[in-house]
Amino acid sequence: IQKKVEATLDSISPKVKQVFVLSRNEGLKYKEIAEKLGVSVKTVETHMSTALKALRENLKEYLTVLLLIFINSQ
């Protein structure tokens, strides 16, 4: 699954990937990302939406497995 996530992130535009990484890996808030990159918060929101959509589309085959793992871990 990790390789699929990495491949998906490599397939999206560099700016979208940068926003996603700053949010998810560095824990920055949208406003902080916008200030750091010199873009609007709306642009950050759009980029995150694009990244998450790509991940959902490319990982949908794993959704059932991930849900079962999550449910069993409870």
Side-chain angles (χ1 to χ4, degrees):
I1 293 173
Q2 182 65 32
K3 287 184 181 185
K4 189 78 168 175
V5 169
E6 290 170 8
T8 300
L9 292 177
D10 288 341
S11 73
I12 59 180
S13 80
K15 287 285 186 184
V16 172
K17 180 179 179 178
Q18 183 180 28
V19 167
F20 182 83
V21 168
L22 288 171
S23 173
R24 295 302 195 250
N25 294 0
E26 296 187 26
L28 297 180
K29 298 189 181 338
Y30 287 5
K31 183 177 179 182
E32 295 170 320
I33 296 169
E35 290 171 359
K36 182 172 186 160
L37 300 180
V39 297
S40 71
V41 173
K42 184 67 176 167
T43 298
V44 172
E45 292 171 355
T46 301
H47 286 344
M48 279 300 293
S49 177
T50 301
L52 293 172
K53 180 179 178 186
L55 286 166
R56 273 193 308 275
E57 289 175 358
N58 288 304
L59 297 173
K60 64 184 170 190
E61 64 196 72
Y62 299 104
L63 182 59
T64 304
V65 173
L66 292 172
L67 285 173
L68 288 173
I69 291 170
F70 177 75
I71 290 168
N72 288 331
S73 68
Q74 297 278 327

